[in-house]
Amino acid sequence: MGHLIACAYDMLCIDLTRYGFSETFFPLRTAPPPNPIDRNICVGWLAKSRHFVQIYLKPGCPIPPTSPEWNLHHTELAKTWPNVFVDRMHEFERLKNIDKISNAEKSKLEPPIDLAGDSYFHVFI
């Protein structure tokens, strides 16, 4: 869906999800405008209600990396879209890695789940 929004509105589309599938989509066939920072829309996926909602990001906040499909299919004219956003994408990855390390440390403190016993599965019934 991000590619459709980015190409239809000629702006970058940031797609945020809770489980690490967040991506940034750029238009595939057009050159960026003089100030592409102002040309963005962010949508977030609400899994429980199965809806997308518009999210308003603060200026300069970290954004997820470019969609791998964009890297494969963009035209020569569009190749400079990500240049302005590289620092913000690196910051996103840095924060994501800090979160992974923190979660790994927290999980070491939790006892493992005993799947052999049937008491665990009563939680889901």
Side-chain angles (χ1 to χ4, degrees):
M1 183 173 84
H3 288 297
L4 293 173
I5 294 171
C7 292
Y9 295 102
D10 197 29
M11 62 174 52
L12 78 119
C13 176
I14 301 162
D15 184 10
L16 298 178
T17 63
R18 183 175 179 187
Y19 300 106
F21 300 111
S22 301
E23 296 177 304
T24 299
F25 299 91
F26 299 99
L28 292 168
R29 294 182 172 82
T30 59
N35 191 6
I37 293 172
D38 296 333
R39 304 271 311 152
N40 67 71
I41 186 168
C42 181
V43 293
W45 172 247
L46 302 176
K48 285 187 179 181
S49 63
R50 297 183 181 182
H51 286 85
F52 283 96
V53 294
Q54 185 173 1
I55 298 172
Y56 297 94
L57 300 175
K58 291 182 178 181
C61 72
I63 61 174
T66 305
S67 166
E69 289 84 13
W70 185 87
N71 287 322
L72 293 173
H73 301 291
H74 71 277
T75 62
E76 188 69 22
L77 190 61
K79 75 177 184 178
T80 59
W81 266 99
N83 294 355
V84 177
F85 303 97
V86 170
D87 291 338
R88 292 171 63 183
M89 290 182 200
H90 286 304
E91 181 65 10
F92 183 90
E93 288 299 316
R94 186 185 74 76
L95 294 172
K96 188 173 156 184
N97 288 335
I98 290 171
D99 196 36
K100 280 183 186 178
I101 293 167
S102 173
N103 287 340
E105 293 300 319
K106 288 178 188 174
S107 69
K108 289 178 184 176
L109 302 174
E110 293 292 322
I113 298 172
D114 180 17
L115 297 178
D118 62 351
S119 63
Y120 176 75
F121 292 104
H122 291 293
V123 175
F124 298 106
I125 296 175

